[in-house]
Amino acid sequence: MYKCFRGVIIVIPIVCLFFFGNMDGLLELLQADDNAKLSASQFSAACGRPINLKYPFGNPVSIERTHLPIFASASYMVADKSDGVRVCIILSSMGNFKFAVAMERTGKMYGLAMKTDAVFFQGTIMDAELVRTHDGNWRVLLFDACAIAGNTNVEYLSLPERLELLESCMPNMSLLSPNWTMEVKKMFPLKGPRDALPKYLEALAYNTDGFILTPEQEPASQSGTAPHIFKIKTCHTMDFLWSGNMLWYGDQKELFPITNIPLPFDGTQLKHVRNGAVVEMSPQVDKAGVITMIHFAQERPDKDTPNSYFTVHRTLQSVIDAITLDVVLHESVRS
């Protein structure tokens, strides 16, 4: 298997990551210069992932009952669904200059202060989640990659091989700011020992809101919807555009009002939200499993578009189906 190797240590002092406040504000504080953004964009496009169009990796879908037969025939890995901000880490170069940036899902890029080997700046793209731990520290959780040290064939490795490769890189990568760490997220074979995941979850130092199920033999996900990657949420949410005192969902071609579903909401919960903001809404379910209304959860400054028509309707179906990890585990042993 391709392995990372040591080279000249490069210090990238683009910005110091000092921050006291919430996570969304943190991202706003980080500034990447124009050359860093251009270099990252060019390498991502060379990997067939033009970030001017979409986030370089795919978005999981909410699990439904119709998905269950998949787990009897395919090998999957399960990981906690960390409650943070999704970011793509891109290391690239332009001439003699080396750049490290973090890009969030709107396409905005922010500089990172990193210490790593020069070889990684031949082109590295890693998918990650930025979380704040219970003790107030910051952690970058890496969970996939489509290129490392210029090797663009990484995306075609199996998921366990991609995770192993990321682990082999960790001794040679670090963030320079105080209270910041970077690590590879732990994943477990769905059909493996049943006691490993619960023990791991008990010791986690950050909040989670469900599970992510990723196929072992599929390549790294592409931009857009990742139909074979599933999320099991303990609390379902959907993202809407708040505009003209109405919640909207859909895409750039067509937006639909929430009244089309129909799904009631309390407009007074959103009176403090600016017009044009993307907001996260959580459905309320009665004892019979019927969705009665949706409630405001939080603003989403890391997003500039609402969920698509498909995503909203599939999430609502997922809420009704109420699939748990135990149900999936039971289905996985039927192979």
Side-chain angles (χ1 to χ4, degrees):
M1 183 191 302
Y2 173 84
K3 292 289 185 181
C4 298
F5 56 91
R6 297 191 61 81
V8 178
I9 297 296
I10 301 292
V11 175
I12 310 300
I14 294 178
V15 66
C16 289
L17 308 184
F18 293 100
F19 176 72
F20 302 92
N22 62 41
M23 196 177 309
D24 297 324
L26 167 67
L27 289 179
E28 292 300 328
L29 285 180
L30 308 184
Q31 299 296 321
D33 66 30
D34 290 340
N35 285 333
K37 295 176 182 178
L38 178 60
S39 177
S41 298
Q42 288 177 338
F43 181 71
S44 182
C47 293
R49 299 164 186 262
I51 58 180
N52 61 315
L53 299 179
K54 292 180 179 179
Y55 188 84
F57 295 92
N59 297 313
V61 297
S62 296
I63 195 165
E64 302 173 24
R65 189 162 298 279
T66 56
H67 296 137
L68 290 179
I70 295 174
F71 302 103
S73 57
S75 296
Y76 268 74
M77 300 193 77
V78 58
D80 65 274
K81 186 178 180 300
S82 49
D83 189 11
V85 176
R86 193 171 178 188
V87 292
C88 175
I89 308 299
I90 305 177
L91 309 182
S92 58
S93 61
M94 182 180 292
N96 294 324
F97 295 96
K98 310 289 191 297
F99 303 107
V101 303
M103 189 187 81
E104 39 101 334
R105 286 189 292 184
T106 63
K108 293 180 182 178
M109 290 188 218
Y110 311 90
L112 292 176
M114 289 190 69
K115 179 181 179 181
T116 189
D117 293 1
V119 65
F120 294 115
F121 294 94
Q122 294 176 14
T124 298
I125 303 179
M126 302 176 290
D127 205 359
E129 189 87 3
L130 174 62
V131 299
R132 195 165 196 179
T133 58
H134 299 320
D135 58 6
N137 294 324
W138 295 92
R139 193 172 297 181
V140 177
L141 304 173
L142 303 172
F143 57 84
D144 213 339
C146 66
I148 292 182
N151 183 351
T152 57
N153 291 320
V154 166
E155 66 174 303
Y156 300 110
L157 298 174
S158 68
L159 177 60
E161 289 173 328
R162 298 197 301 271
L163 293 172
E164 182 182 350
L165 180 54
L166 284 171
E167 283 284 5
S168 74
C169 299
M170 286 302 94
N172 306 325
M173 285 187 183
S174 61
L175 297 171
L176 293 176
S177 298
N179 305 319
W180 274 70
T181 57
M182 179 182 290
E183 65 183 53
V184 180
K185 179 181 279 192
K186 181 71 173 176
M187 296 191 187
F188 299 85
L190 186 63
K191 298 180 181 181
R194 294 296 177 89
D195 60 341
L197 179 60
K199 290 180 180 179
Y200 173 76
L201 294 175
E202 289 178 4
L204 280 180
Y206 54 85
N207 293 329
T208 65
D209 59 357
F211 303 96
I212 297 291
L213 300 167
T214 309
E216 290 190 13
Q217 301 305 319
E218 293 285 331
S221 62
Q222 290 283 344
S223 298
T225 301
H228 298 117
I229 302 178
F230 302 101
K231 56 184 176 182
I232 304 175
K233 297 197 69 173
T234 52
C235 179
H236 289 272
T237 59
M238 296 166 286
D239 297 328
F240 294 90
L241 176 68
W242 175 243
S243 179
N245 294 319
M246 176 55 66
L247 292 169
W248 302 83
Y249 64 103
D251 53 32
Q252 295 178 346
K253 295 180 180 178
E254 186 173 11
L255 291 174
F256 303 88
I258 191 66
T259 51
N260 276 15
I261 294 179
L263 205 54
F265 68 94
D266 183 359
T268 61
Q269 296 179 352
L270 297 139
K271 62 183 180 180
H272 65 286
V273 177
R274 63 177 176 83
N275 192 63
V278 174
V279 294
E280 186 176 76
M281 305 291 292
S282 179
Q284 175 181 311
V285 182
D286 64 17
K287 293 181 179 179
V290 176
I291 302 172
T292 57
M293 69 178 299
I294 55 173
H295 293 278
F296 173 77
Q298 63 177 345
E299 288 192 49
R300 293 298 305 268
D302 60 318
K303 297 191 68 176
D304 56 8
T305 57
N307 284 154
S308 68
Y309 180 95
F310 173 85
T311 298
V312 167
H313 284 267
R314 295 273 52 90
T315 299
L316 293 174
Q317 184 61 54
S318 182
V319 173
I320 294 170
D321 287 348
I323 301 299
T324 65
L325 181 60
D326 284 341
V327 173
V328 174
L329 288 170
H330 179 268
E331 193 69 23
S332 70
V333 300
R334 295 180 59 184
S335 57

Short mmCIF file of all heavy atoms in Angstrom, two decimals, residues 157-182:
data_model
loop_
_atom_site.label_atom_id
_atom_site.label_comp_id
_atom_site.label_asym_id
_atom_site.label_seq_id
_atom_site.Cartn_x
_atom_site.Cartn_y
_atom_site.Cartn_z
N LEU A 157 -8.90 3.37 -3.01
CA LEU A 157 -8.62 2.37 -2.00
C LEU A 157 -9.91 2.06 -1.23
O LEU A 157 -10.87 2.82 -1.25
CB LEU A 157 -7.56 2.88 -1.03
CG LEU A 157 -6.18 3.21 -1.59
CD1 LEU A 157 -5.31 3.84 -0.52
CD2 LEU A 157 -5.52 1.96 -2.14
N SER A 158 -9.94 0.94 -0.53
CA SER A 158 -11.08 0.65 0.32
C SER A 158 -11.07 1.63 1.50
O SER A 158 -10.05 2.24 1.81
CB SER A 158 -11.01 -0.78 0.84
OG SER A 158 -9.93 -0.93 1.74
N LEU A 159 -12.21 1.76 2.16
CA LEU A 159 -12.28 2.67 3.31
C LEU A 159 -11.28 2.29 4.40
O LEU A 159 -10.58 3.17 4.92
CB LEU A 159 -13.71 2.72 3.85
CG LEU A 159 -13.91 3.58 5.10
CD1 LEU A 159 -13.54 5.03 4.84
CD2 LEU A 159 -15.36 3.47 5.59
N PRO A 160 -11.17 1.02 4.81
CA PRO A 160 -10.16 0.69 5.82
C PRO A 160 -8.75 1.07 5.38
O PRO A 160 -7.94 1.52 6.20
CB PRO A 160 -10.29 -0.84 5.97
CG PRO A 160 -11.71 -1.13 5.59
CD PRO A 160 -12.00 -0.16 4.47
N GLU A 161 -8.44 0.92 4.09
CA GLU A 161 -7.10 1.30 3.60
C GLU A 161 -6.92 2.81 3.65
O GLU A 161 -5.83 3.30 3.98
CB GLU A 161 -6.91 0.78 2.18
CG GLU A 161 -6.74 -0.73 2.09
CD GLU A 161 -6.73 -1.23 0.65
OE1 GLU A 161 -7.40 -0.62 -0.21
OE2 GLU A 161 -6.03 -2.23 0.39
N ARG A 162 -7.97 3.57 3.32
CA ARG A 162 -7.86 5.03 3.37
C ARG A 162 -7.66 5.50 4.81
O ARG A 162 -6.86 6.40 5.08
CB ARG A 162 -9.10 5.69 2.76
CG ARG A 162 -9.31 5.37 1.29
CD ARG A 162 -10.28 6.32 0.60
NE ARG A 162 -11.61 6.36 1.16
CZ ARG A 162 -12.62 5.57 0.80
NH1 ARG A 162 -12.41 4.60 -0.10
NH2 ARG A 162 -13.83 5.71 1.33
N LEU A 163 -8.37 4.89 5.74
CA LEU A 163 -8.21 5.24 7.15
C LEU A 163 -6.82 4.88 7.65
O LEU A 163 -6.19 5.64 8.40
CB LEU A 163 -9.28 4.54 7.99
CG LEU A 163 -10.72 4.98 7.74
CD1 LEU A 163 -11.68 4.08 8.51
CD2 LEU A 163 -10.93 6.44 8.14
N GLU A 164 -6.32 3.72 7.24
CA GLU A 164 -4.96 3.30 7.63
C GLU A 164 -3.92 4.26 7.09
O GLU A 164 -2.94 4.61 7.77
CB GLU A 164 -4.70 1.88 7.13
CG GLU A 164 -3.32 1.34 7.53
CD GLU A 164 -3.06 -0.05 6.99
OE1 GLU A 164 -4.00 -0.68 6.45
OE2 GLU A 164 -1.90 -0.50 7.07
N LEU A 165 -4.13 4.71 5.86
CA LEU A 165 -3.20 5.66 5.26
C LEU A 165 -3.21 6.99 6.02
O LEU A 165 -2.15 7.58 6.29
CB LEU A 165 -3.57 5.88 3.79
CG LEU A 165 -2.71 6.86 2.98
CD1 LEU A 165 -1.23 6.48 3.07
CD2 LEU A 165 -3.17 6.89 1.54
N LEU A 166 -4.40 7.46 6.38
CA LEU A 166 -4.49 8.70 7.17
C LEU A 166 -3.78 8.53 8.51
O LEU A 166 -3.07 9.44 8.96
CB LEU A 166 -5.95 9.07 7.39
CG LEU A 166 -6.69 9.68 6.19
CD1 LEU A 166 -8.18 9.80 6.49
CD2 LEU A 166 -6.11 11.04 5.84
N GLU A 167 -3.95 7.38 9.14
CA GLU A 167 -3.28 7.13 10.42
C GLU A 167 -1.77 7.18 10.26
O GLU A 167 -1.05 7.68 11.13
CB GLU A 167 -3.70 5.76 10.97
CG GLU A 167 -5.08 5.72 11.59
CD GLU A 167 -5.13 6.36 12.97
OE1 GLU A 167 -4.10 6.92 13.40
OE2 GLU A 167 -6.19 6.31 13.59
N SER A 168 -1.25 6.65 9.14
CA SER A 168 0.20 6.65 8.93
C SER A 168 0.74 8.06 8.74
O SER A 168 1.93 8.30 8.93
CB SER A 168 0.55 5.77 7.72
OG SER A 168 0.20 6.41 6.50
N CYS A 169 -0.13 9.00 8.37
CA CYS A 169 0.30 10.39 8.16
C CYS A 169 0.32 11.19 9.46
O CYS A 169 1.00 12.23 9.53
CB CYS A 169 -0.62 11.08 7.17
SG CYS A 169 -0.67 10.35 5.52
N MET A 170 -0.43 10.77 10.48
CA MET A 170 -0.61 11.58 11.68
C MET A 170 0.68 11.95 12.41
O MET A 170 0.80 13.06 12.92
CB MET A 170 -1.59 10.90 12.64
CG MET A 170 -3.05 10.96 12.19
SD MET A 170 -3.67 12.66 11.95
CE MET A 170 -3.39 12.90 10.19
N PRO A 171 1.69 11.06 12.50
CA PRO A 171 2.91 11.48 13.19
C PRO A 171 3.60 12.67 12.53
O PRO A 171 4.44 13.32 13.15
CB PRO A 171 3.80 10.22 13.12
CG PRO A 171 2.84 9.10 12.99
CD PRO A 171 1.73 9.63 12.12
N ASN A 172 3.26 12.94 11.26
CA ASN A 172 3.93 14.01 10.52
C ASN A 172 3.02 15.20 10.26
O ASN A 172 3.33 16.05 9.42
CB ASN A 172 4.44 13.46 9.18
CG ASN A 172 5.31 12.23 9.36
OD1 ASN A 172 6.04 12.13 10.32
ND2 ASN A 172 5.20 11.30 8.43
N MET A 173 1.89 15.28 10.95
CA MET A 173 0.96 16.40 10.79
C MET A 173 0.54 16.92 12.15
O MET A 173 0.20 16.14 13.04
CB MET A 173 -0.31 15.98 10.03
CG MET A 173 -0.16 15.78 8.55
SD MET A 173 -1.78 15.49 7.79
CE MET A 173 -1.28 15.22 6.09
N SER A 174 0.56 18.24 12.31
CA SER A 174 0.05 18.82 13.56
C SER A 174 -0.36 20.27 13.30
O SER A 174 0.16 20.94 12.41
CB SER A 174 1.12 18.77 14.66
OG SER A 174 2.26 19.51 14.29
N LEU A 175 -1.31 20.74 14.11
CA LEU A 175 -1.73 22.13 14.07
C LEU A 175 -0.92 22.88 15.11
O LEU A 175 -0.66 22.38 16.20
CB LEU A 175 -3.23 22.24 14.35
CG LEU A 175 -4.12 21.56 13.31
CD1 LEU A 175 -5.57 21.52 13.78
CD2 LEU A 175 -4.02 22.26 11.96
N LEU A 176 -0.53 24.11 14.79
CA LEU A 176 0.43 24.83 15.61
C LEU A 176 -0.18 25.61 16.76
O LEU A 176 0.52 26.03 17.66
CB LEU A 176 1.24 25.80 14.73
CG LEU A 176 2.18 25.14 13.72
CD1 LEU A 176 2.84 26.20 12.85
CD2 LEU A 176 3.23 24.31 14.43
N SER A 177 -1.47 25.85 16.73
CA SER A 177 -2.08 26.70 17.75
C SER A 177 -2.37 25.93 19.03
O SER A 177 -2.61 24.72 19.01
CB SER A 177 -3.37 27.31 17.21
OG SER A 177 -3.08 28.11 16.09
N PRO A 178 -2.34 26.63 20.17
CA PRO A 178 -2.60 25.96 21.46
C PRO A 178 -3.99 25.33 21.49
O PRO A 178 -4.94 25.86 20.91
CB PRO A 178 -2.50 27.11 22.47
CG PRO A 178 -1.71 28.17 21.78
CD PRO A 178 -2.03 28.05 20.32
N ASN A 179 -4.09 24.19 22.17
CA ASN A 179 -5.38 23.52 22.39
C ASN A 179 -6.02 23.01 21.10
O ASN A 179 -7.23 22.82 21.04
CB ASN A 179 -6.36 24.45 23.10
CG ASN A 179 -5.80 24.99 24.40
OD1 ASN A 179 -5.17 24.26 25.16
ND2 ASN A 179 -6.01 26.27 24.65
N TRP A 180 -5.19 22.78 20.06
CA TRP A 180 -5.71 22.22 18.80
C TRP A 180 -5.02 20.90 18.52
O TRP A 180 -3.79 20.78 18.63
CB TRP A 180 -5.44 23.19 17.65
CG TRP A 180 -6.51 24.22 17.49
CD1 TRP A 180 -6.78 25.26 18.33
CD2 TRP A 180 -7.44 24.32 16.42
NE1 TRP A 180 -7.82 26.00 17.85
CE2 TRP A 180 -8.25 25.45 16.67
CE3 TRP A 180 -7.67 23.58 15.27
CZ2 TRP A 180 -9.28 25.85 15.82
CZ3 TRP A 180 -8.69 23.98 14.42
CH2 TRP A 180 -9.48 25.09 14.70
N THR A 181 -5.80 19.90 18.14
CA THR A 181 -5.24 18.61 17.76
C THR A 181 -5.91 18.11 16.49
O THR A 181 -6.99 18.57 16.12
CB THR A 181 -5.43 17.56 18.87
OG1 THR A 181 -6.83 17.44 19.18
CG2 THR A 181 -4.66 17.93 20.12
N MET A 182 -5.26 17.16 15.83
CA MET A 182 -5.80 16.53 14.63
C MET A 182 -5.65 15.03 14.78
O MET A 182 -4.61 14.53 15.21
CB MET A 182 -5.04 17.02 13.39
CG MET A 182 -5.51 16.40 12.07
SD MET A 182 -4.53 17.00 10.65
CE MET A 182 -5.08 18.69 10.57
#
